[in-house]
Each structure stands twice: as structure tokens, then as C-alpha cells.
């Protein structure tokens, strides 16, 4: 049995308690300063108010943030369960108090864009925030997996990535079950880029849903237009993945994650509202209180592309979808999908023989 301390009581972080406890591990669930109500409710009733599921009845203990040191003491693994908006909080408040011999597994999907446009994944960003003499093993989870379906034990395929394959194998042994299937990869850049970009492009694909159902919601959802945007998303993400130096095999995680995100959740909702004709500010107001990580990722991805274009390394015309999404959310542009920009001509060499 191992002790797994989860810091951040959001939906996905809390859901990991299911496979962890099934493997006879002890879970300590620690709320951030924003999770007080979740911890209080779960401790009193076992019910997670945002996941809307009963958490395991045994094998789990609940802690408010003031008791985080107690929750870390004796732990074998730390789960970083914050959203992308909590990355700096985790870096500043949690990383400094973690022992070096405890591996970290992060569920946070996203990336940081530096002033020069360079994209940095969260595991590497965390490492950059450590003091010069501190060492930590920081790993991450990627792949298509929604929290509520994992909690319901629907078969899910994910990937754990990190620098040390032996640590990854150990982490896999703690969480893998008959329904939670885990691949391993030491391509941190590729995995993290792929699973972060899916949020940005899922927003773009979801715009087609809003366009189809119309401003009053009375229309019928169409799939040709969604499929067209889905295909363009794969094309652009594949190009971006190559630019950052990630392996092409990570497109499996991008495609799967894109699929599941378009079919439900926060990113679908914001994209649909934009497609229905709401301005970005109006859409945000309707989703007030909802964490919209897709906005951050789309902004960072477009910024990366624009920086590369300024340096002459790419053409903006190669990324029409992500640039249009960025224009909508950051420049007040109205939705006008650049369909013609998606067209291409391809002449294969054997046609020339």
C-alpha cells in the first residue's frame, strides 16, 4: 500500500481516488484555498459537489490547505490537481515544501508562453521554478479522459509522461485498473503539447455547433462542419507538434482528447456560445464561475504561432483556425470561419512518373 496525496480537489484530481483506492492505496485529498466547500461537503457526506459523484467510502481522508504539511508527511506520491490557473500557486506554495524523494504526477493540461513566444509545458515550467539546489521528479497525465466517466469506470486510455521510465512504471502500478489503461512515454514535450492544444482546438470545433443551432438554439446540430474543423485542427496541431519537437505518435492523444472534449464540457459550451453569435465577453458572462482553460491555451498557442511568423519560421496562413479563434477571443472579431483557407492542393510524386 502507498500513500497518495492529492493537492487540489477539482473533478479530475478527486476522480483519481477511485483507481488509487482500488489498488489498495490510501488517498489524502487536500483542497486548495478555493476548494473549501468541496472538502467540507466531501468530508461530511462523501459527495463531491462539482463531480456530482460519491467518492470512495473508505481509504480517503480530507484536508483543508492549512493541514497540507500533515497530508504530505509520509506520502509516497504527490498529485498536482490544480487547474492551469493554479499553476503559479502550486509552484510558489507547494513545490518548496515537497521532499525530493516523492515523485509528482500532474493532471494539469496547458502551457506557458514566454516573451519570445517559446512554449513551455507545465512539468518543465514547474522544474524552472525550483530553487537551484532542489531536485524533483515531475511527471504528467495526458489523453482522452473525462472525470465523470472515469468515476463511472468507463474504459479510458491515458498516458503518463516523465523523464524516468522506472518512476513512470511505479506510478502506473498505483493507478492502473481494469478500466483505467495507462501507456508510458518519456516524450514530455510531445505529450504535453498534444493534450494542451486539444483544448484550444476543441473550442474552434465547437463553434460549428453554435453556428448550426443558431442564436435561439432552435437549429439542428450538424456534423459535416464539425468534422471539417476537426480535420483542420489535426492538420494544424500536427504542424505545431513538429515545431516544438514532439513525436508524431502523440497525435493519438490529441485526436482522442479533442474528440471527447468536443462532445461535452466547458470548452464545448464556450465555443457553442461564440458560434451562436454571442461576443466573447457575453459568453464569458454566461459561464461566470466556470474555469475556461481553453481560452488560456488558445491565446498561448496563437501567440506562439505569431512569434514564429514574425521570425519568418512559419506562415500565419498555415494556421487559419487557431488564428481566427484568437482573433475572436482577444480582438473582438465576429465568427467567420475561414473555410477557403482550409483548402489545399497535393500532388503526389508518383503522379508525376
Amino acid at each position: 500500500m502507498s500513500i497518495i496525496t492529492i493537492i487540489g480537489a477539482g473533478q479530475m484530481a478527486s476522480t483519481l481516488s477511485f483507481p488509487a483506492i482500488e489498488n489498495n492505496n490510501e488517498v489524502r485529498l487536500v483542497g486548495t484555498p478555493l476548494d473549501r466547500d468541496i472538502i467540507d461537503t466531501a468530508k461530511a457526506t462523501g459527495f463531491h459537489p462539482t463531480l456530482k459523484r460519491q467518492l470512495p467510502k473508505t481509504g480517503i481522508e480530507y484536508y483543508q490547505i492549512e493541514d497540507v504539511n500533515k497530508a504530505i508527511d509520509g506520502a509516497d506520491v504527490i498529485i498536482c490537481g490544480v487547474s492551469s490557473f493554479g499553476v503559479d500557486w502550486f509552484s510558489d506554495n507547494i513545490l518548496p515544501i515537497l521532499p525530493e524523494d516523492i515523485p509528482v504526477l500532474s493532471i494539469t493540461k496547458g502551457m506557458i508562453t514566454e516573451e519570445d513566444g517559446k512554449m513551455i509545458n507545465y512539468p518543465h515550467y514547474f522544474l524552472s521554478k525550483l530553487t537551484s539546489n532542489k531536485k524533483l521528479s515531475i511527471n504528467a497525465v495526458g489523453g482522452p479522459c473525462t472525470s465523470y466517466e472515469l468515476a463511472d469506470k468507463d474504459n479510458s486510455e491515458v498516458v503518463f509522461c516523465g523523464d524516468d521510465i522506472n518512476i513512470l512504471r511505479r506510478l502506473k502500478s498505483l493507478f492502473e485498473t481494469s478500466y483505467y489503461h495507462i501507456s508510458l512515454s518519456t516524450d514530455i514535450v510531445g505529450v504535453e503539447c498534444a493534450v494542451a492544444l486539444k483544448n484550444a482546438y476543441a473550442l474552434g470545433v465547437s463553434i460549428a455547433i453554435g453556428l448550426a443551432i443558431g442564436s435561439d438554439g432552435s437549429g439542428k446540430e450538424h456534423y459535416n462542419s464539425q468534422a471539417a474543423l476537426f480535420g483542420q485542427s489535426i492538420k494544424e496541431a500536427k504542424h505545431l507538434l513538429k515545431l516544438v519537437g514532439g513525436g508524431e505518435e502523440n497525435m493519438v492523444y490529441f485526436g482522442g482528447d479533442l474528440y471527447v472534449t468536443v462532445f461535452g464540457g466547458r470548452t464545448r459550451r464556450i465555443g457553442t456560445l461564440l458560434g451562436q453569435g454571442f461576443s466573447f465577453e457575453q459568453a464569458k458572462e454566461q459561464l461566470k464561475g466556470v474555469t475556461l482553460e481553453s481560452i488560456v491555451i488558445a491565446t498561448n498557442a496563437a501567440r506562439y504561432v505569431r512569434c514564429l511568423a514574425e521570425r519568418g519560421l512559419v506562415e500565419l496562413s498555415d494556421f487559419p483556425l487557431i488564428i481566427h479563434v484568437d482573433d475572436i477571443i482577444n480582438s473582438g472579431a465576429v465568427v467567420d470561419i475561414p473555410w477557403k483557407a482550409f483548402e489545399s492542393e497535393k500532388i503526389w510524386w508518383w503522379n508525376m512518373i
Side-chain angles (χ1 to χ4, degrees):
M1 182 192 79
S2 294
I3 298 173
I4 299 170
T5 297
I6 302 173
I7 301 177
Q11 296 179 39
M12 180 55 76
S14 301
T15 299
L16 285 179
S17 64
F18 287 92
I21 290 173
E22 284 190 29
N23 281 317
N24 298 314
N25 299 303
E26 176 187 324
V27 169
R28 300 172 180 173
L29 184 61
V30 184
T32 70
L34 301 179
D35 298 331
R36 293 191 178 279
D37 290 343
I38 292 176
I39 293 298
D40 285 341
T41 300
K43 188 173 183 178
T45 67
F47 185 76
H48 193 291
T50 58
L51 182 62
K52 300 191 184 307
R53 301 289 191 280
Q54 289 291 139
L55 294 176
K57 294 181 179 179
T58 60
I60 184 169
E61 296 181 355
Y62 302 96
Y63 297 79
Q64 294 289 4
I65 190 60
E66 290 77 14
D67 293 321
V68 64
N69 284 294
K70 181 179 178 182
I72 291 172
D73 185 34
D76 298 292
V77 175
I78 301 293
I79 303 295
C80 169
V82 301
S83 73
S84 58
F85 296 99
V87 165
D88 285 321
W89 175 86
F90 191 87
S91 299
D92 295 339
N93 295 277
I94 304 302
L95 290 181
I97 63 175
L98 296 182
E100 291 187 347
D101 61 340
I102 305 179
V104 177
L105 181 65
S106 172
I107 66 164
T108 314
K109 295 180 180 179
M111 53 199 176
I112 301 291
T113 305
E114 295 188 320
E115 289 299 322
D116 61 0
K118 182 181 179 181
M119 289 196 299
I120 301 179
N121 59 72
Y122 285 147
H124 288 163
Y125 180 69
F126 284 142
L127 290 173
S128 75
K129 300 285 282 186
L130 297 177
T131 58
S132 59
N133 61 342
K134 184 162 188 174
K135 307 292 183 183
L136 282 175
S137 172
I138 300 182
N139 311 274
V141 184
C145 181
T146 60
S147 57
Y148 44 90
E149 292 192 355
L150 177 59
D152 293 340
K153 302 185 180 181
D154 188 38
N155 279 284
S156 304
E157 291 276 353
V158 300
V159 57
F160 286 7
C161 64
D163 289 324
D164 189 323
I165 193 65
N166 291 318
I167 290 177
L168 292 175
R169 287 168 179 161
R170 178 186 168 201
L171 292 171
K172 176 177 179 176
S173 71
L174 299 178
F175 291 95
E176 188 167 54
T177 66
S178 61
Y179 57 88
Y180 192 49
H181 312 285
I182 303 169
S183 295
L184 303 177
S185 174
T186 56
D187 183 4
I188 300 175
V189 170
V191 170
E192 289 293 279
C193 178
V195 300
L197 286 174
K198 67 88 184 180
N199 270 319
Y201 282 102
L203 191 159
V205 175
S206 299
I207 290 174
I209 301 170
L211 287 170
I213 65 176
S215 58
D216 61 359
S218 63
K220 180 181 179 181
E221 187 172 347
H222 298 161
Y223 295 101
N224 280 4
S225 51
Q226 288 182 54
L229 293 176
F230 196 102
Q232 181 64 24
S233 297
I234 291 176
K235 181 179 180 180
E236 293 185 20
K238 183 179 179 182
H239 193 171
L240 283 167
L241 193 62
K242 184 176 181 180
L243 288 169
V244 301
E248 187 175 303
E249 67 276 4
N250 294 299
M251 287 305 296
V252 171
Y253 307 120
F254 172 83
D257 222 343
L258 179 62
Y259 179 91
V260 77
T261 305
V262 169
F263 268 86
R266 298 162 290 183
T267 301
R268 176 188 172 101
R269 291 168 66 191
I270 186 71
T272 298
L273 288 170
L274 293 173
Q276 287 182 280
F278 292 94
S279 69
F280 177 58
E281 293 304 321
Q282 291 171 330
K284 278 202 307 180
E285 182 61 28
Q286 287 209 29
L287 298 176
K288 193 172 182 178
V290 176
T291 302
L292 297 173
E293 294 177 306
S294 56
I295 302 303
V296 177
I297 297 170
T299 299
N300 287 344
R303 182 181 175 191
Y304 177 61
V305 169
R306 292 183 192 278
C307 287
L308 291 180
E310 289 175 1
R311 293 158 56 189
L313 300 177
V314 301
E315 298 289 337
L316 285 184
S317 58
D318 291 334
F319 303 92
L321 180 54
I322 196 63
I323 293 300
H324 185 49
V325 168
D326 183 53
D327 287 340
I328 293 169
I329 63 180
N330 290 305
S331 300
V334 297
V335 172
D336 184 18
I337 303 296
W339 298 108
K340 290 293 292 183
F342 301 163
E343 298 176 4
S344 64
E345 288 187 0
K346 180 72 74 173
I347 301 175
W348 292 101
W349 65 271
W350 54 78
N351 293 121
M352 306 297 291
I353 297 176

